[in-house]
Amino acid sequence: MTTPSRDTTRAPRILPSDPTPSRPSASRPALAAASVTVVLWASAFVAIRGAGAAYSPGALALGRLLTGSLVLGVFLLVRGGGRPPRAAWPGILCSGVLWFGVYTIALNWGEREVDAGTAALLVNTGPVLIALLGARFLGEGLPRRLFAGLAVSFAGVAVVGLSMSSGGRSSVLGVLLCLLAAVGYAGGVVAQKPALRHTSALTVTCYGCLTGAVACLPFAGTLVSEAARAPLAATLNMVYLGVFPTAVAFTTWAFALARSTAGRMGATTYAVPVLVVLMSWPTLGEVPGPLTLAGGALCLVGVALTRRPARRPRFPDRA
């Protein structure tokens, strides 16, 4: 009696350390969306400098989020979007409070208490926290190339921070606020990822921004009083923050996040400090030194490492 032959050819396996392998057709739109986000978020730091002289941290956050909510609401009505499904609400509410609310206020306030270098170093612990939280709660794992890219980029941020330090002007409150901003950013990103499985990036961003605006409503009185005496340029900067770095950039971020891992997307934001330095050069007259440029180059190298596609192991066919 003959035994039927079995096909023992092994199918390619996906390594568990990278549960979302990149596909060229899907990664290109995600990379383009992430690039838009990074550029607009970098411009936000310049705009905050222009608006922060006239608006306090809470009022600036509320004005920015109200503007963003209005723009996103119009976009959602035009596209015919409805309310998010019930399964998406926990992630939307959590990311709205932590990222749109806590992060924005803490960052605005913290940068008043510490020098720019210290703030850059502390806030940019966020991508590291995102990778760790993504591995723990989203099952994304920690691929070696992601870990290496994070390490290189963080070293670059440390170099940039050292070059931008103004003699250690800092306070315990400022350090804690910058760390709180990093935690809010990381927690918001990780909470947002599951919500994107149930509804569109525009819907998640719109309702998340609205949630953050509601959380900032205690600053409404301050916003009204400061807007009455603020110069037009400061108010226009606040409106710009709401339209582009908030409404547009957070939507493109959510689009890219739905097509990538939270850890990889967090690492992409290490390009922001580099662009901030380059944008501050012509707009604010802040000429970067050699050490700043070297740190920026390290940041970009680290981001490039995290964006490299995973190598799929090859298994020979066996008869």
Side-chain angles (χ1 to χ4, degrees), residues 65 68-69 72-73 76-77 80-85 88-89 91-97 100 192 195 199-215 251:
L65 293 174
S69 297
L72 288 165
L76 199 60
L77 286 175
R83 290 184 300 176
W89 273 110
I92 290 174
L93 293 176
C94 188
S95 64
V97 172
F100 288 89
Q192 188 185 64
T199 188
S200 68
L202 179 59
T203 301
V204 169
T205 306
C206 180
Y207 282 90
C209 186
L210 185 60
T211 300
V214 171
T251 302

Side-chain angles (χ1 to χ4, degrees), residues 74-157:
V74 171
F75 285 165
L76 199 60
L77 286 175
V78 170
R79 289 181 59 87
R83 290 184 300 176
R86 182 178 299 179
W89 273 110
I92 290 174
L93 293 176
C94 188
S95 64
V97 172
L98 289 178
W99 196 2
F100 288 89
V102 172
Y103 168 80
T104 305
I105 297 174
L107 179 62
N108 291 346
W109 191 359
E111 287 193 353
R112 293 188 170 199
E113 299 291 329
V114 300
D115 58 69
T118 303
L121 181 61
L122 294 174
V123 172
N124 277 284
T125 59
V128 179
L129 295 176
I130 290 173
L132 295 175
L133 291 174
R136 174 64 179 84
F137 295 104
L138 302 178
E140 293 183 352
L142 282 172
R144 284 182 294 179
R145 70 187 185 286
L146 174 60
F147 187 80
L150 287 171
V152 172
S153 289
F154 189 75
V157 169

Side-chain angles (χ1 to χ4, degrees), residues 6 22 57 123 137 171 176 205 211 224 277 280 297 316:
R6 293 182 300 171
S22 60
V123 172
F137 295 104
S171 68
L176 292 176
T205 306
T211 300
V224 172
V277 170
S280 299

